[in-house]
Amino acid sequence: MEVTFTVSPDERQHVEYLADLFAVIVAIEKLEKAMLRDLITQEQYDATIRRLLEKYKSSVSYLEQGRNPYYTTIDSFWENYGSKCPAARARIQLGLSDKNQQQKDGHTNTTLVLECGQYFITLMDSLKLQQTAVDQLYTLLADLIQGLKRLGAFDQDFFHRLLVWKEKLDTMKASDELNERDTREFAFVLECGYQAFYAYLSDISTTKTRS
């Protein structure tokens, strides 16, 4: 027996508003990664991120004011649907404040955040391409660790895991290569660290906003 499910126009509209918000979040995540990989220019990035942040703001505002039965809070939405978009959440938390004003106010240095994100992605891409020689990885990892220190992340668990790998590379020759097991483990540490890094940025941005 065939069962037919019907969706009312109101229910469809509620779902569409949630889908619109999710689409904006995914678009911001992809834009951040494109910028980190130098696939777009700064001008293209600035123009696009402004539009997306405005769409995000208006979407959240509508959901907060409306009576959508499928929406509770924006934090709950992020937990349920946005966990795979850490760069988007960090960018939304940071907003589009002028870099110099951010530094003057004691806010996170956006340029340094982007650089650290790029180091993470470049390292992960290198391992995927089987570029596992110490001299191909060491400088990137050292620069990443230095950047994280400047951002105050030196007390984070993901930072200490990266330090362990730097110490491991310190004991190897420049021409040495990671074996398959080490490559997989290092890739896992980087992937987890990348997620934790943006979660850390989101937390400190929220704390500063509340204070």
Side-chain angles (χ1 to χ4, degrees):
M1 181 179 66
E2 183 178 350
V3 179
T4 303
F5 295 94
T6 59
V7 179
S8 69
D10 287 342
E11 288 177 320
R12 182 181 294 108
Q13 188 176 50
H14 288 319
V15 173
E16 286 177 351
Y17 280 124
L18 294 176
D20 289 342
L21 176 58
F22 180 71
V24 172
I25 290 173
V26 172
I28 294 175
E29 180 75 13
K30 291 183 179 297
L31 181 67
E32 290 297 308
K33 290 183 177 180
M35 184 62 183
L36 290 174
R37 292 188 170 105
D38 292 325
L39 299 178
I40 57 176
T41 65
Q42 185 67 50
E43 291 75 15
Q44 291 172 322
Y45 173 83
D46 290 342
T48 306
I49 194 63
R50 284 191 177 89
R51 291 197 302 270
L52 289 174
L53 287 176
E54 285 300 321
K55 288 182 180 180
Y56 175 85
K57 183 178 179 180
S58 62
S59 295
V60 172
S61 177
Y62 182 87
L63 288 169
E64 295 284 358
Q65 296 173 11
R67 295 182 177 179
N68 192 317
Y70 307 113
Y71 177 86
T72 52
T73 65
I74 188 59
D75 288 337
S76 177
F77 187 89
W78 274 102
E79 290 176 6
N80 292 328
Y81 308 109
S83 61
K84 298 297 184 181
C85 300
R89 189 167 193 177
R91 167 50 63 198
I92 290 167
Q93 292 284 352
L94 290 172
L96 273 175
S97 300
D98 178 75
K99 180 178 68 175
N100 293 329
Q101 187 63 39
Q102 286 181 337
Q103 293 172 338
K104 185 187 299 182
D105 294 341
H107 291 181
T108 305
N109 185 324
T110 305
T111 300
L112 190 54
V113 169
L114 291 174
E115 288 177 355
C116 287
Q118 186 169 11
Y119 292 141
F120 268 115
I121 289 177
T122 303
L123 281 166
M124 289 188 287
D125 286 347
S126 295
L127 295 181
K128 289 178 182 177
L129 295 172
Q130 300 300 313
Q131 297 174 354
T132 59
V134 172
D135 60 356
Q136 293 175 311
L137 303 172
Y138 187 86
T139 300
L140 286 170
L141 180 57
D143 288 343
L144 171 58
I145 289 173
Q146 186 61 34
L148 293 174
K149 283 183 180 179
R150 292 171 61 191
L151 287 172
F154 46 80
D155 59 344
Q156 299 297 304
D157 182 64
F158 70 87
F159 178 83
H160 293 292
R161 290 177 183 271
L162 293 172
L163 275 183
V164 170
W165 274 96
K166 181 177 179 297
E167 292 169 358
K168 181 181 180 67
L169 296 183
D170 281 333
T171 66
M172 302 171 67
K173 297 179 181 178
S175 59
D176 287 345
E177 296 185 359
L178 299 181
N179 58 35
E180 183 178 353
R181 179 179 178 180
D182 283 345
T183 299
R184 291 184 62 181
E185 289 183 358
F186 190 26
F188 180 73
V189 168
L190 288 169
E191 180 64 34
C192 292
Y194 180 70
Q195 299 281 339
F197 170 58
Y198 281 106
Y200 163 75
L201 292 175
S202 178
D203 289 342
I204 62 175
S205 295
T206 301
T207 300
K208 288 175 180 177
T209 299
R210 290 174 179 172
S211 61

